[in-house]
Amino acid sequence: MSATLPARPLEAAAELRDAWRAHGAAGGVLDELEAYSGRPFAREDAEGVTFPLEDEPFAAAWSGYVREAGERGVWPTLRDRLVQLRFPIAAGMSERPEYLAATRRGIPPPAGPGLVLNAPDELRLWLHPTPAGRIGVLRVPDRGDFESLVRALTARNEPRPVAASMGACIVSGYNNWDRVAALRHAWERAHPRAGEAGWRAEFQSIMPRKELYQDRFILLSEGYYSATPPGALGLDPGEWLRISGVIRLEHECAHYLTRRVFGSMRNSLHDELIADHAGITAAVGSFRGEWFLRFLGLEAHPRYRPGGRLENYRGTPPLSDAAFQLLQAVVVRASDRLAAEPAALITIASTSLPELARGG
C-alpha cells in the first residue's frame, strides 16, 4: 500500500533548545544535548514522496546474486562477488598491498583460502521489500560467522570486537567491484576500440555517480534480540527466537529508510528508538516500551544495567555524566509516550527526541 510522506518543516535550532530546556537542560548540558541529538529528520520535498519507493540500482545486481545462489550456493556466489571475503581476518590486513589493490582498485586478489566460515552452507540470501525499496539480506545463523562477516565487510578485515548485543548491521556505501566490472564489460562491448586508456577516462566519469557501484545490504544473525533471554520478557524460547528475527530485520530496514529518505543514519538514541519501534511493532503489532527499555538496559531506570545497548550510544565525544543521565530520562519518557500514543515511523523520525518525550 502506498503512503505519502507528510510535509513537516525542520525545527529551528531555537525550538530544539527549548524542547531540551523543558526537560531541565541548561548551560553546558544543553549545548551537549543539542549537539548530540541534532535536528529531527526532514526533507524539503516531503510532499512529493510516496511509498514504497522504487528500488535503488544495487537491487538489480543483488537480484542476480539471489538467483545464482539458488543454483550454486550463497557462499560461493558472494565469495566471488565481494572481494573482502577472499581475505582472512587478521591484524594489519587492511594495510597489506594486495588488500588495498583489491578493495580500492578492484584488482583480483591472489588465490588463497580467504575468509573461512564455520557453517557456510547455512547462509541464506534474499531481497527484502521495504518502504524504501528492496534490499539484500544475508542471514548468518552461526554467531562466529556473523562476527567474521561484520569484521570483513565493515572493519576492513581487521579483528575488531563485535558487541554481544549486536545482532545485525546494515552495510552502507559498499564499493562493489563486481558491479564496476559489469559496467566495464558493457562499456567495452559498446566501445571495442577504446582500449585501456578509454576505460580509465570513462571510469573517472563514473566515480561521482556512486549509485552505479555502491551497495547497501543487511547482515542478520540469529539468536535472541539484544542478547535478551526469553525469561526476561516472559516468553517461550522458540517464540522469542521467532520474534527476535522479525525485530532484528525490521530494525535494520528502518535504518535503511531513514538513510534513503532523509539522507541520515546516525548512531544515536533517536535512531535506535525509531528502529526498535519499527521492529517491535512489526513483530507483535504494537510498540512495547518496556521491551525497548530492557534492550537498552534501562528497565530499572534510573539504574542502568551494564551490558545493555545504551552504552553504545553515548556519542562522540562521549556525553558528560550529567548530560547522559538527562538523555536517559528523556528516552524513557519518549518510550513511555509512544507506548501510550501510537505513531507512524515517519512522524517519530520527523519529531525531535525531547519533543517526543514532552508530549502534548
Side-chain angles (χ1 to χ4, degrees), residues 227-268:
T228 301
L233 303 179
L235 295 174
D236 172 78
E239 180 67 1
W240 176 227
L241 192 63
R242 182 194 66 78
I243 290 172
S244 291
V246 177
I247 296 175
R248 187 174 288 120
L249 175 56
E250 297 303 329
H251 176 110
E252 297 304 321
C253 290
H255 284 319
Y256 174 48
L257 185 147
T258 63
R259 180 65 182 86
R260 186 175 185 196
V261 174
F262 297 109
S264 179
M265 185 175 68
R266 305 169 299 198
N267 191 43
S268 78

Side-chain angles (χ1 to χ4, degrees), residues 41-244:
F41 297 102
R43 54 183 287 161
E44 294 179 357
D45 61 341
E47 292 182 345
V49 178
T50 59
F51 297 116
L53 302 179
E54 293 184 1
D55 289 344
E56 292 193 87
F58 65 72
W62 282 81
S63 180
Y65 300 164
V66 170
R67 288 194 300 271
E68 184 176 338
E71 298 172 357
R72 58 191 293 252
V74 174
W75 183 237
T77 298
L78 292 185
R79 193 175 181 277
D80 286 350
R81 300 296 188 273
L82 311 182
V83 295
Q84 290 84 351
L85 305 186
R86 283 178 267 175
F87 293 91
I89 306 299
M93 177 59 67
S94 63
E95 299 302 323
R96 295 186 186 181
E98 64 273 22
Y99 185 88
L100 294 172
T103 58
R104 293 184 179 180
R105 302 199 302 277
I107 297 175
L115 189 67
V116 177
L117 299 185
N118 299 321
D121 293 341
E122 294 182 7
L123 300 176
R124 183 186 169 206
L125 180 69
W126 74 96
L127 277 176
H128 187 70
T130 82
R134 295 182 302 165
I135 187 169
V137 178
L138 178 61
R139 185 185 294 276
V140 190
D142 184 89
R143 178 66 192 184
D145 289 349
F146 172 74
E147 293 183 0
S148 292
L149 287 165
V150 169
R151 292 180 179 116
L153 295 166
T154 71
R156 303 175 65 200
N157 291 72
E158 295 287 345
R160 296 175 185 166
V162 177
S165 60
M166 180 182 184
C169 75
I170 182 166
V171 181
S172 188
Y174 176 80
N175 292 327
N176 188 340
W177 287 101
D178 179 62
R179 290 178 66 197
V180 174
L183 289 171
R184 177 171 185 169
H185 292 156
W187 187 85
E188 288 178 339
R189 285 195 300 271
H191 305 83
R193 300 177 182 276
E196 182 68 24
W199 166 248
R200 285 200 299 268
E202 175 66 12
F203 184 59
Q204 291 301 311
S205 69
I206 288 174
M207 286 181 65
R209 301 178 60 191
K210 295 182 179 181
E211 74 279 3
L212 295 179
Y213 60 88
Q214 284 194 347
D215 296 0
R216 296 180 186 130
F217 55 95
I218 293 170
L219 298 178
L220 199 67
S221 75
E222 292 188 354
Y224 301 138
Y225 188 69
S226 285
T228 301
L233 303 179
L235 295 174
D236 172 78
E239 180 67 1
W240 176 227
L241 192 63
R242 182 194 66 78
I243 290 172
S244 291

